[in-house]
Amino acid sequence: MVKTYLRYESRSVFGVIASPTGNAVYDHTGKLSITPALESVIVWDIRKGTQVARWTDSDNKAEVTRIARSPNGKDYAVGYSDGSIRLFDLTSNAVNVILNGHRSSISALEFDPSGTVLASGARDTDIILWDVVGEVGLYKLRGHKDEITGIAFISTTTGGDSALNASAQGYIVSSSKDTLVKLWDLRARHCVQTLTSHRSEVWSLAVSPDQRLLVTGTSDLELRVWNIKVDKLDNVPADTSELSPEEAARSWEAISEYGTIQRASRDRVAGLRFHPTGLYLACASADKQIEVFRTRTHDEIRKKMARRQKRTREKRKKDDGSDGEDGGDGLPAITAADELTSFKVLRTSAKPVSFDFNPAESDTASLHRQGGLHVLVSQNNNAIHTWNVPIPPPGKTTKQAGLPEPSLVSSVEMLGHRSEPRALALSFDNELVASAANKSLRVWNAHTGACVRTLECGSAICAAFLPGDQTIVVGTKDGQIELFDIPSATLLESFDAHEGAACWSIDVRPDKKGLVTGGADKCVKFWDIVLVRDSQNAGSIASRSRMSLEHVKTLKMSDDVLAVKCSPDSRLLAVSLLDTTVKVFYADTLKFFLSLYGHKLPVVSMDISSDSTLLVTGSADKSVKLWGLDFGDCHRSLLAHQEPVTAVRFVWGTHYFFSAGKDKLVQQWDGDNFQRIQKLAGSHGDVWALAVAKHGNFVVASSQDRSIRIWEKTEEPLFLEEERERELEELYDRGLEESLDRDESAIGGDDGDAVDTEESQRAGKATMETLKAGERIMEALELADEERRKWHEYEERKRKMPQLNPAPPDTNPVLLFEKLSPEAYVLRTVERVRASELEDALLALPFSRVLSLMVYIDIWARREWNTPLTCRVLFFMLKTHQNQIVATRTMRSRLDSIRKHLRSGVSQQRDQIGYNLAALTSLRAEWEANATAEFFDEKDIQKVLDAQLKKRKFTGIKV
């Protein structure tokens, strides 16, 4: 009989506030923070420090790398490490659109001013423009040679911000690690200017709200400022046919160098952003500081220029001995250093990952009403802070105001560790989970994921609950053993257990009367749990007893002790040493029993089964070994992980065990038949610690990404053969997607070199979803063709032999269930394909199915079914298979029929859209007339009437 198991499914993830791979942004009100949290996005209430919502897509396992806010304040674009983009709705917390086009991690996202076009850049050096309303990729821009680091839209005065022409008007400017900054014309889909002045990677760029200044940041000590000439972007350049290409390029330079401004930091630029008012510019660096620059007013610039001119005349007078009047009348040119000056510096507690200004501070009045600049800072230590930068009141300069330094307003940092948790412990009733990291110990509710207690500790590397679940013992890297009381959240006592050497392991004895510790001082120490009275309240009635530890005995070893484990029957004690061996002793007499050797590197974790017959060891040599504790023989050696193993734990009452490693995986194994049961993926970093509930109801793991994940055992049966087949299918699908990515460059041209030189290409990416969608369309075409063939044969027989009265054919059960005709069924199948995946799904059709699809397109056009979708499918088929269709003679009559019927349908759609636009324009004019009130000053009106009256009297006109 085939053995069955129960499957584990991911239940919850907690402990992550802000992952360091993505950027955090404000919402449109400035009260919420949209923050990346590994594969999810968390919406935080900044003032209360509570989680409002969590955005998660069950189909996604990739990490969030970029977030962009739409101008409508409701939609947010989220980019992932696998190249996909998802649009979430802030009101419904649901995924609206999924876009696939990039082959690697998203590194830049930006909405256009209308919010209908999204530009994305990735590590694959491509820039893709997406139609957010139509949910399709418009085109791909290629020209950079390294990762895209920044994108910004530049709108022209002639194009406007209309959503109807947003994708074909205006410009975008992009920066990359290839040291180049490029200006792209969206109408021509071509790079019109390249800035080559940078000598190192361009890490960020920012465009001022008035689109007059462009600022770029590199690893240099200054920021480069560029002047954007919008009038040149509006005007088409004159005839330059007689000029060389270099002279023609210089004659039309829309972006010119304006100057440089010095930075306070010596590290590279991590981010640049203008304030919504355009009065301030912030620059984040990689050395725990954010520098804020202020834009000088016209009066300040004029005074500065006058002082500079005066100093120049005085210097000339001193050098030449003249009066300094000749040659000094002309004003010097204004530079970026004259317009932008350093204002304040924010000094953060950790390196800033990203920052964002409050979008509600859109004008000067709201800025002063808020009391200064509010800056949201996401740090790489799993925390988000809100800073207030005071600004001078209206009419006063910075020197006159005497402004204080920036202050921290609020923070969200209590719901996660500042560093990676290295130790986990489960309470005896499996209700609480304790996670220990450097200088922090947190206790969590295992069912809700809520943080119950937060305590300060040393550099913790191991932890355990004491009986009663009221006390936690923590072993630190400096050899201390610390006892914490959970109800009072206090440190009860600290013991210098291992004389300054690291305490690597703690194990509570099975009789629950003591514990065993092992450290780097080559000692195994035994401790008894005793009850003592508090010394502070010893003489009072309210004094109570508390737990403490008493050192009983010490076992000296020949090398550093890495792990200790007591057998559940209290008979044996296993000790792992740095010399790659495991020593087994009798627990009562400490007499040597067994020496287990076979690992090539030290054993870092081990566990003993509940029946005390098996010992499992996990080593840094990536292997897991199973040992029998009767004779010390090695039952099996398993290459469990691709990286060093960090933790192993048995399930109580069984020989199943779990292993964790630095390959980001937790795996379940059967210790009897030595088979892997399943893989528990999800972590985005090295898995450091592992804890298993009493009977394996759930598994807890802590990772380098600062997350604590819980997998829960379900009632779904699991078969090993099916699990292996599923893993092979995933491996095959992954290899197929990689091959599709490699072959993607060959689509659209005869040779690869010609394709690579094109700056504008089709936006799209072949994935398993698009292949499956193409297969569904082919199946629908095959079913519909067969159904139409049967009914055509029936009509022929009925026409030729009407006296026989032949029986009609049986309708296909699928069509019978859907209650659709064959033509409507094919249309329904095409409609169910996502708009962003339709073109790639149609590419999977062979030409024979394309000819069949053209028949149904003719029927759809004749019956005017979903004319927009019909046009899109038709145009894409004609563009892709133009040569084959032209060479097929039988297609001419079909194309004539489609043209005839489609024109009438498109004309009707055009008339309907025109009528609706006219109606909306009329309604808008009516609303503006009713909602607008005009106010007049009675004194001004009376003055005008008196003047007219005097004029009439003067000219002799009777009133």
Side-chain angles (χ1 to χ4, degrees):
M1 184 176 178
V2 179
K3 189 174 183 179
T4 60
Y5 304 89
L6 294 180
R7 185 180 298 277
Y8 283 82
E9 295 289 347
S10 179
R11 187 183 73 183
S12 60
V13 182
F14 50 89
V16 179
I17 299 174
S19 54
T21 57
N23 65 307
V25 298
Y26 269 114
D27 74 323
H28 65 287
T29 62
K31 298 179 180 179
L32 303 177
S33 170
I34 317 299
T35 309
L38 302 179
E39 70 273 11
S40 305
V41 176
I42 298 180
V43 182
W44 295 98
D45 188 318
I46 304 173
R47 296 180 181 177
K48 298 179 180 178
T50 57
Q51 178 178 319
V52 178
R54 192 182 190 96
W55 299 346
T56 305
D57 190 356
S58 58
D59 298 332
N60 170 64
K61 302 298 180 184
E63 203 169 0
V64 176
T65 58
R66 200 70 186 170
I67 301 176
R69 179 181 60 248
S70 175
N72 61 19
K74 185 181 69 171
D75 296 327
Y76 290 82
V78 181
Y80 295 86
S81 59
D82 61 352
S84 62
I85 302 172
R86 287 169 174 80
L87 267 66
F88 288 88
D89 192 337
L90 182 61
T91 57
S92 63
N93 299 320
V95 182
N96 290 340
V97 183
I98 300 178
L99 305 172
N100 281 295
H102 290 285
R103 300 187 302 274
S104 59
S105 176
I106 302 295
S107 57
L109 280 176
E110 187 70 22
F111 279 96
D112 78 318
S114 67
T116 58
V117 177
L118 174 68
S120 63
R123 290 184 179 178
D124 58 6
T125 73
D126 293 339
I127 299 174
I128 298 181
L129 270 77
W130 307 88
D131 184 357
V132 177
V133 179
E135 304 180 7
V136 295
L138 298 174
Y139 47 86
K140 181 185 300 183
L141 299 175
R142 284 186 170 179
H144 285 290
K145 302 300 182 182
D146 208 336
E147 176 184 344
I148 307 297
T149 57
I151 297 176
F153 278 88
I154 299 177
S155 302
T156 58
T157 57
T158 57
D161 295 340
S162 174
L164 297 177
N165 59 356
S167 61
Q169 296 289 340
Y171 296 79
I172 63 171
V173 58
S174 62
S175 63
S176 171
K177 288 185 179 180
D178 60 1
T179 73
L180 300 179
V181 175
K182 288 180 176 289
L183 179 66
W184 305 84
D185 187 349
L186 299 185
R187 180 175 54 185
R189 303 180 185 181
H190 180 71
C191 177
V192 293
Q193 187 178 354
T194 302
L195 307 180
T196 60
S197 300
H198 303 92
R199 297 182 179 274
S200 59
E201 296 93 340
V202 182
W203 290 98
S204 183
L205 64 81
V207 175
S208 60
D210 58 0
Q211 298 186 349
R212 188 176 58 87
L213 298 178
L214 167 67
V215 183
T216 57
T218 63
S219 57
D220 298 336
L221 299 180
E222 62 273 343
L223 300 176
R224 290 182 180 269
V225 185
W226 309 81
N227 193 4
I228 303 175
K229 302 173 183 177
V230 184
D231 54 344
K232 285 195 174 183
L233 298 178
D234 293 334
N235 300 326
V236 180
D239 185 16
T240 58
S241 58
E242 299 180 356
L243 301 177
S244 64
E246 292 79 6
E247 294 175 348
R250 284 195 297 269
S251 65
W252 189 85
E253 286 187 352
I255 301 178
S256 59
E257 194 163 357
Y258 190 37
T260 61
I261 52 178
Q262 292 293 324
R263 297 192 295 122
S265 172
R266 293 184 175 273
D267 285 351
R268 71 169 181 85
V269 173
L272 286 169
R273 186 176 292 272
F274 272 96
H275 190 266
T277 60
L279 301 177
Y280 299 92
L281 167 70
C283 171
S285 302
D287 59 348
K288 303 182 182 181
Q289 67 179 13
I290 299 175
E291 188 174 4
V292 181
F293 297 89
R294 181 179 63 88
T295 303
R296 289 191 174 99
T297 62
H298 293 289
D299 294 337
E300 291 177 334
I301 295 176
R302 192 181 304 111
K303 292 179 181 179
K304 183 177 177 62
M305 300 299 294
R307 289 196 301 268
R308 181 188 299 174
Q309 189 179 18
K310 181 179 179 181
R311 287 196 301 269
T312 303
R313 287 199 301 266
E314 291 177 352
K315 184 177 180 181
R316 186 181 297 110
K317 180 179 179 181
K318 182 178 179 181
D319 295 340
D320 301 341
S322 60
D323 56 359
E325 296 295 332
D326 296 333
D329 296 335
L331 290 175
I334 299 176
T335 62
D338 299 327
E339 186 171 354
L340 294 171
T341 180
S342 181
F343 179 55
K344 293 290 182 180
V345 176
L346 278 70
R347 305 194 183 276
T348 58
S349 58
K351 291 183 180 180
V353 176
S354 67
F355 68 94
D356 190 24
F357 285 112
N358 190 347
E361 303 168 354
S362 57
D363 53 11
T364 308
S366 61
L367 188 60
H368 289 286
R369 189 166 54 250
Q370 294 284 346
L373 305 175
H374 284 80
V375 184
L376 175 69
V377 181
S378 172
Q379 301 181 168
N380 68 347
N381 64 343
N382 196 27
I384 53 176
H385 292 171
T386 305
W387 292 78
N388 179 33
V389 182
I391 60 175
K396 289 188 177 182
T397 62
T398 305
K399 294 182 179 179
Q400 294 173 348
L403 300 175
E405 292 298 317
S407 59
L408 182 64
V409 178
S410 60
S411 62
V412 182
E413 57 183 13
M414 297 302 294
L415 300 179
H417 289 283
R418 302 286 74 76
S419 58
E420 52 198 58
R422 299 296 295 266
L424 279 180
L426 265 176
S427 61
F428 289 91
D429 58 1
N430 296 329
E431 295 291 331
L432 299 177
V433 178
S435 60
N438 185 22
K439 299 181 180 180
S440 67
L441 171 66
R442 299 182 189 274
V443 183
W444 312 82
N445 188 313
H447 300 286
T448 63
C451 184
V452 180
R453 290 289 185 272
T454 300
L455 306 99
E456 291 186 4
C457 66
S459 182
I461 51 179
C462 57
F465 275 89
L466 293 185
D469 295 336
Q470 300 293 314
T471 309
I472 298 177
V473 57
V474 175
T476 65
K477 191 174 290 186
D478 55 4
Q480 297 287 326
I481 294 180
E482 300 174 343
L483 261 67
F484 294 92
D485 184 62
I486 299 177
S488 61
T490 57
L491 173 64
L492 296 178
E493 205 168 352
S494 180
F495 303 91
D496 188 6
H498 292 277
E499 301 176 355
C503 178
W504 289 112
S505 179
I506 294 178
D507 187 40
V508 179
R509 297 206 306 258
D511 58 4
K512 299 181 182 179
K513 295 181 180 180
L515 53 89
V516 183
T517 63
D521 59 350
K522 305 179 183 180
C523 292
V524 178
K525 294 193 175 183
F526 297 81
W527 307 77
D528 281 347
I529 300 174
V530 295
L531 292 177
V532 297
R533 288 190 175 274
D534 288 336
S535 59
Q536 297 177 354
N537 303 320
S540 64
I541 301 177
S543 64
R544 65 184 182 91
S545 299
R546 63 171 179 83
M547 287 186 177
S548 182
L549 296 177
E550 182 181 356
H551 180 229
V552 179
K553 52 187 175 181
T554 301
L555 176 62
K556 291 286 186 178
M557 304 301 297
S558 61
D559 213 333
D560 293 1
V561 178
L562 300 182
V564 293
K565 187 64 183 179
C566 297
S567 63
D569 59 1
S570 301
R571 189 173 67 92
L572 300 175
L573 171 68
V575 181
S576 168
L577 301 180
L578 190 62
D579 60 3
T580 73
T581 63
V582 176
K583 309 293 185 183
V584 182
F585 300 87
Y586 289 104
D588 50 358
T589 63
L590 298 184
K591 185 179 179 181
F592 177 76
F593 176 48
L594 293 172
S595 179
L596 310 178
Y597 57 90
H599 283 288
K600 298 178 181 178
L601 291 175
V603 173
V604 296
S605 179
M606 59 184 177
D607 198 12
I608 300 177
S609 61
S610 57
D611 57 2
S612 301
T613 59
L614 288 180
L615 171 69
V616 59
T617 57
S619 170
D621 61 6
K622 309 176 187 179
S623 67
V624 169
K625 293 183 184 293
L626 282 165
W627 312 82
L629 288 180
D630 45 2
F631 302 106
D633 55 326
C634 180
H635 290 185
R636 184 62 65 93
S637 179
L638 304 170
L639 183 60
H641 293 267
Q642 301 298 321
E643 296 294 335
V645 179
T646 56
V648 287
R649 289 292 180 271
F650 267 109
V651 177
W652 185 267
T654 68
H655 284 176
Y656 305 152
F657 67 91
F658 288 87
S659 66
K662 292 187 177 181
D663 57 355
K664 308 176 184 179
L665 288 178
V666 175
Q667 301 186 85
Q668 184 187 12
W669 303 82
D670 190 337
D672 291 329
N673 58 16
F674 317 116
Q675 295 287 329
R676 184 180 68 238
I677 300 175
Q678 62 175 327
K679 292 181 180 179
L680 304 180
S683 297
H684 298 275
D686 302 346
V687 182
W688 285 115
L690 194 64
V692 182
K694 182 70 174 180
H695 298 286
N697 294 329
F698 60 88
V699 182
V700 189
S702 65
S703 174
Q704 189 181 19
D705 57 14
R706 299 181 178 87
S707 68
I708 299 174
R709 295 177 182 269
I710 295 182
W711 290 272
E712 189 175 28
K713 184 165 64 175
T714 63
E715 298 299 325
E716 180 184 355
L718 184 148
F719 300 93
L720 294 182
E721 293 78 6
E722 294 180 357
E723 191 69 13
R724 297 294 90 78
E725 291 178 0
R726 188 179 65 83
E727 293 176 1
L728 289 175
E729 289 178 359
E730 292 179 354
L731 184 62
Y732 173 76
D733 293 345
R734 190 158 52 247
L736 185 59
E737 289 185 356
E738 292 176 357
S739 64
L740 290 174
D741 288 342
R742 288 194 298 268
D743 297 339
E744 187 181 14
S745 60
I747 299 176
D750 295 334
D751 54 344
D753 296 336
V755 175
D756 291 339
T757 57
E758 295 179 2
E759 287 190 341
S760 176
Q761 296 184 7
R762 186 184 67 87
K765 176 186 175 183
T767 61
M768 290 305 302
E769 287 75 14
T770 60
L771 293 179
K772 292 177 181 178
E775 291 177 356
R776 289 195 297 269
I777 295 176
M778 284 190 285
E779 292 174 358
L781 289 172
E782 184 178 357
L783 187 149
D785 289 345
E786 180 65 21
E787 190 71 15
R788 283 168 52 85
R789 185 188 61 78
K790 290 191 301 184
W791 281 97
H792 180 71
E793 292 177 354
Y794 166 73
E795 294 294 338
E796 286 293 326
R797 290 196 304 268
K798 188 176 179 182
R799 182 179 60 82
K800 292 180 179 180
M801 295 178 290
Q803 64 278 7
L804 296 179
N805 193 15
D810 296 332
T811 307
N812 190 287
V814 176
L815 299 178
L816 199 61
F817 176 78
E818 295 281 351
K819 297 181 180 179
L820 295 173
S821 63
E823 301 83 6
Y825 177 70
V826 175
L827 180 61
R828 175 71 63 84
T829 304
V830 176
E831 288 175 341
R832 288 176 176 174
V833 180
R834 288 176 181 167
S836 58
E837 299 175 354
L838 180 58
E839 293 184 357
D840 291 286
L842 294 174
L843 282 176
L845 300 180
F847 187 67
S848 59
R849 294 303 177 190
V850 172
L851 297 179
S852 177
L853 182 61
M854 298 296 284
V855 176
Y856 295 99
I857 290 176
D858 187 13
I859 298 175
W860 301 341
R862 187 185 309 120
R863 300 178 183 178
E864 297 183 358
W865 288 352
N866 201 340
T867 303
L869 180 62
T870 303
C871 293
R872 184 184 174 193
V873 174
L874 173 64
F875 297 155
F876 182 75
M877 289 288 97
L878 293 177
K879 181 174 64 175
T880 305
H881 303 280
Q882 178 184 2
N883 296 334
Q884 294 91 332
I885 291 176
V886 170
T888 306
R889 295 184 177 182
T890 56
M891 286 297 298
R892 178 165 184 173
S893 59
R894 182 70 61 191
L895 292 175
D896 290 339
S897 176
I898 293 175
R899 180 181 59 182
K900 175 183 176 182
H901 298 108
L902 198 59
R903 278 185 175 177
S904 60
V906 171
S907 177
Q908 184 177 354
Q909 291 277 335
R910 181 193 60 192
D911 296 341
Q912 184 178 358
I913 292 174
Y915 179 83
N916 292 337
L917 284 175
L920 290 174
T921 305
S922 176
L923 289 175
R924 179 180 178 181
E926 182 179 355
W927 179 85
E928 289 179 350
N930 295 332
T932 304
E934 296 182 357
F935 297 92
F936 301 96
D937 192 351
E938 295 182 357
K939 294 182 180 180
D940 294 339
I941 296 175
Q942 188 64 36
K943 289 180 181 178
V944 172
L945 294 177
D946 294 343
Q948 293 179 354
L949 183 61
K950 290 180 180 180
K951 183 178 181 181
R952 289 176 180 177
K953 288 182 178 180
F954 178 77
T955 54
I957 300 176
K958 295 183 178 180
V959 181

